[in-house]
Amino acid sequence: MTSEEKTATSSRQPAAGSAVSVPEAGSVPAAVCRTPRAPLAADVVKATAEKHGVCTRPFTMEVADNDTGELRFVPVPCGSTVESVCLPCARKAKALRQQQCREGWHRDTEPETLPAEPPSEGHTDLLEFRADLVARYRELTGTDQLDEQGQTQADEIREEVAAVDAELRQLGLRGRLPSLDAPNRRMVKRSTKRRQDAPNLPRRKVAKTTVGREYAGRFRPSMFVTLTCDSYGPVRGDGSPVNPAAYDYRRAARDAVHFSALVDRWWQNLRRVVGWDVQYFATVEPQKRTAPHLHAAVRGAISHDTIRMVTDATYHQVWWPNHDELVYTDRLPVWDMRDKSFVDPETGDALTDWDDAVEAVENPAHVVTFGRQVHSKGILGGTEESGRHIGYLTKYLTKSTGEVVVADSARLADHHDRLHAELAITPCSPRCAVWLLYGIQPKGATAKTTPGHCKGRAHRRATLGLPGRRVLVSRKWSGKTLGDHKADRKAFVTRALAEIGIEKPQPDPARLSWRKVESNDPNLPPRDHLIMHAIAERITWKAEYDRALLAAGTPPGAPLETSATRRAA
């Protein structure tokens, strides 16, 4: 040991006779600092991907070149709209929605819709083959007693039809194809007279125009409208009821389940009153009391009195069987393998079929109306106020319903529990398994159906009855689908790169074959490798795009009218 080491060691040792302080058990000296652990490699990859706008949880596709035989693995973005799942994909989806809202809100010309392509010979050949399969299937299943051999043939035909449908979709096909099973509907006539407790509405012939009126030769304002549900009892500032025992949870649950149908009826009534095809971009969000409410950007100017009148007169009648009292609570209905239906656990009698129960309905089981709080405001296009309201419309689109509805107090958590308990016994559709608790066999019931357990969103604790469609866009809003808006952003970037001599090759889709790679595939590359490769590509693309902006005289990051398109790209 050197003299310097001896001196350093002696300086750390206590002097003779001096008191040495020993820390008590379980205590940590204040001078001791805990060094934080280094970040995980996966976290670094994820943070880098989020920095450059690369999907953090892509799924892998195998792409084969049919001419050269080349195989390569391509990471495909997950497309999530929730930030907590994938931040880059959610922000792109939000920017795309903002662009969609901006393009349609203050239009002064009618949107152009592309005509549908005529069916090709491949379409007609496949549909002729499908028609023969359906005829054979119905011939087999039309008999009362289907033997084992006939059942096997019917299953094979069903699989063949599914393969034909997949080929039709690949060729390009919109709409729903006819079902294999023959339709068995019984039309139930309902009165179309308005309820006497609802005010009458004036009715005009709806013109095909979708553009609002122009004022003073240059102003063409549009509207921002907010609609809410009715009151179910007084609530506090945090949304919890003042008196939970008197709060109408049953009506709150049913209004939430049927809110989307009420909104559809409101648009129908509004168009009939104003006399033109009103177009809208709307979002559905929960209030603090967890009731759904609607924010809508409406093209064209409509008077506040008209909006109030239509709201007061709009209602939706639910022509379902009565479901006020539970029939089965302890002993639930059981499936009868012989009759292929649910029966009473004690008597063995078959439950009432859905069609029979609906046919016996004389009065609606529930009537949904809006609340008295209605907000409407006129907004001019191209103003700061218009951009602010677009941001407000899309504010919560990157959050799941469970992240928006948060119980931060005990009484609010109790409120959510009470509402969820009522939603658990509220049927959400004619196929809902909750109908079995009321002695009614729902549509499509099978041996796998569990009485009282439905997988619909309305019964989940995280959603509390809020509808699955959180963005509602009318068909003639911008004349484009989300796919069209994605194509616009791609064309925008491609043109900018072409102006500086950068041409991106566009492979022929007919040459490529795509296959999703399963997670247990031995050739599947690690996800982090795919993400790092995508990051390198994104850095290259960003550098090329910045060169294009500089060549156009626009510095990167400068605000443009197409900012949403640029962010989505």
Side-chain angles (χ1 to χ4, degrees):
M1 181 180 295
T2 63
S3 58
E4 291 82 356
E5 292 174 342
K6 292 180 181 179
T7 304
T9 303
S10 61
S11 64
R12 290 194 295 267
Q13 294 178 351
S18 62
V20 179
S21 61
V22 180
E24 299 180 359
S27 64
V28 179
V32 177
C33 297
R34 299 184 62 183
T35 304
R37 293 182 296 178
L40 294 174
D43 295 338
V44 175
V45 173
K46 180 180 179 181
T48 308
E50 291 178 350
K51 175 182 176 181
H52 293 281
V54 175
C55 177
T56 59
R57 49 190 303 274
F59 59 91
T60 308
M61 297 289 289
E62 181 187 74
V63 184
D65 192 320
N66 300 327
D67 293 346
T68 63
E70 178 189 4
L71 289 177
R72 56 192 177 93
F73 295 100
V74 177
V76 179
C78 65
S80 175
T81 59
V82 181
E83 283 187 352
S84 59
V85 177
C86 181
L87 179 63
C89 287
R91 288 181 174 175
K92 289 180 182 179
K94 179 180 178 180
L96 198 64
R97 287 294 189 183
Q98 288 177 336
Q99 182 68 14
Q100 184 183 33
C101 181
R102 183 179 293 106
E103 286 192 13
W105 196 0
H106 305 284
R107 290 185 66 97
D108 54 3
T109 58
E110 296 292 338
E112 297 180 3
T113 56
L114 296 177
E117 296 181 358
S120 64
E121 186 176 354
H123 284 97
T124 56
D125 291 343
L126 285 174
L127 200 60
E128 290 173 0
F129 180 48
R130 189 184 192 277
D132 293 337
L133 292 174
V134 172
R136 177 58 180 160
Y137 177 84
R138 293 185 178 178
E139 181 182 351
L140 285 172
T141 58
T143 58
D144 296 335
Q145 298 295 331
L146 188 64
D147 57 9
E148 184 176 354
Q149 182 180 1
Q151 184 63 46
T152 302
Q153 293 179 0
D155 293 341
E156 292 177 353
I157 293 176
R158 184 176 287 275
E159 293 178 0
E160 186 69 23
V161 170
V164 172
D165 292 349
E167 291 186 40
L168 283 169
R169 297 295 180 188
Q170 288 182 353
L171 288 178
L173 182 71
R174 295 181 301 160
R176 182 181 301 177
L177 292 167
S179 174
L180 270 175
D181 301 311
N184 185 19
R185 297 181 181 178
R186 285 182 289 178
M187 300 301 295
V188 181
K189 294 184 179 180
R190 301 295 183 196
S191 174
T192 58
K193 293 183 178 180
R194 291 188 58 82
R195 295 176 60 89
Q196 295 187 4
D197 56 353
N200 292 324
L201 285 173
R203 184 166 181 172
R204 302 178 184 176
K205 184 179 179 180
V206 179
K208 294 183 179 181
T209 180
T210 65
V211 179
R213 177 184 171 187
E214 186 178 58
Y215 296 87
R218 55 173 180 163
F219 297 110
R220 197 183 296 270
S222 293
M223 305 297 295
F224 184 85
V225 180
T226 300
L227 303 176
T228 61
C229 287
D230 202 356
S231 174
Y232 313 113
V235 295
R236 298 184 178 91
D238 61 352
S240 60
V242 175
N243 184 6
Y247 194 82
D248 196 346
Y249 283 101
R250 171 180 292 180
R251 194 158 61 92
R254 296 184 181 184
D255 283 2
V257 169
H258 301 285
F259 184 74
S260 57
L262 179 65
V263 171
D264 290 340
R265 182 58 56 89
W266 190 84
W267 293 118
Q268 182 185 53
N269 289 342
L270 183 64
R271 287 166 176 159
R272 290 175 176 175
V273 170
V274 299
W276 46 280
D277 194 3
V278 178
Q279 300 299 302
Y280 58 88
F281 180 100
T283 58
V284 180
E285 301 296 343
Q287 293 179 301
K288 290 184 178 180
R289 56 174 180 157
T290 69
H293 71 302
L294 180 88
H295 297 298
V298 182
R299 182 158 69 231
I302 303 173
S303 69
H304 304 290
D305 293 338
T306 299
I307 291 177
R308 166 65 70 178
M309 177 181 62
V310 172
T311 304
D312 292 341
T314 298
Y315 62 88
H316 172 66
Q317 299 184 115
V318 183
W319 291 96
W320 283 358
N322 184 276
H323 48 284
D324 293 338
E325 298 294 336
L326 291 172
V327 177
Y328 299 100
T329 55
D330 299 330
R331 298 192 62 186
L332 302 178
V334 295
W335 179 258
D336 189 335
M337 296 298 297
R338 182 181 59 184
D339 295 338
K340 304 296 182 181
S341 64
F342 278 92
V343 298
D344 186 275
E346 297 181 357
T347 64
D349 297 336
L351 300 186
T352 305
D353 185 70
W354 170 261
D355 291 331
D356 295 334
V358 171
E359 190 174 1
V361 171
E362 297 181 356
N363 298 309
H366 184 63
V367 179
V368 197
T369 59
F370 286 109
R372 295 189 58 82
Q373 294 184 2
V374 180
H375 173 76
S376 58
K377 184 178 183 180
I379 296 176
L380 290 174
T383 61
E384 185 272 337
E385 187 178 24
S386 175
R388 187 173 69 252
H389 279 78
I390 292 176
Y392 185 74
L393 272 170
T394 58
K395 179 179 180 180
Y396 294 108
L397 291 187
T398 58
K399 296 183 180 295
S400 65
T401 307
E403 294 172 339
V404 178
V405 182
V406 179
D408 52 4
S409 64
R411 60 190 182 192
L412 195 56
D414 179 69
H415 171 57
H416 291 180
D417 292 339
R418 287 171 178 260
L419 181 58
H420 178 247
E422 188 63 39
L423 286 165
I425 57 174
T426 301
C428 63
S429 70
R431 295 182 175 271
C432 182
V434 175
W435 282 114
L436 293 169
L437 303 181
Y438 296 95
I440 298 173
Q441 179 164 284
K443 283 186 174 182
T446 64
K448 296 181 180 180
T449 304
T450 303
H453 291 274
C454 177
K455 296 182 180 179
R457 288 178 53 91
H459 308 289
R460 300 177 188 175
R461 178 63 172 78
T463 59
L464 293 177
L466 293 174
R469 293 187 305 159
R470 296 179 61 186
V471 181
L472 312 175
V473 185
S474 56
R475 295 186 178 183
K476 299 179 182 178
W477 175 253
S478 61
K480 303 176 184 177
T481 63
L482 278 181
D484 296 332
H485 286 287
K486 290 181 181 179
D488 286 346
R489 80 187 185 192
K490 182 178 180 180
F492 177 83
V493 176
T494 302
R495 287 195 304 268
L497 295 179
E499 291 177 357
I500 61 172
I502 300 178
E503 298 288 344
K504 294 294 181 179
Q506 300 295 332
D508 184 7
R511 288 181 49 186
L512 305 179
S513 298
W514 295 73
R515 181 183 71 88
K516 184 177 180 180
V517 183
E518 301 297 334
S519 58
N520 57 355
D521 193 317
N523 297 321
L524 178 67
R527 174 180 288 181
D528 289 348
H529 291 190
L530 294 174
I531 294 177
M532 292 173 66
H533 178 69
I535 291 173
E537 282 188 337
R538 181 55 60 92
I539 293 174
T540 303
W541 296 345
K542 182 66 168 55
E544 294 174 347
Y545 185 64
D546 288 345
R547 284 173 50 198
L549 292 180
L550 290 172
T554 304
L560 291 176
E561 182 66 23
T562 55
S563 58
T565 303
R566 291 173 54 194
R567 288 195 301 270

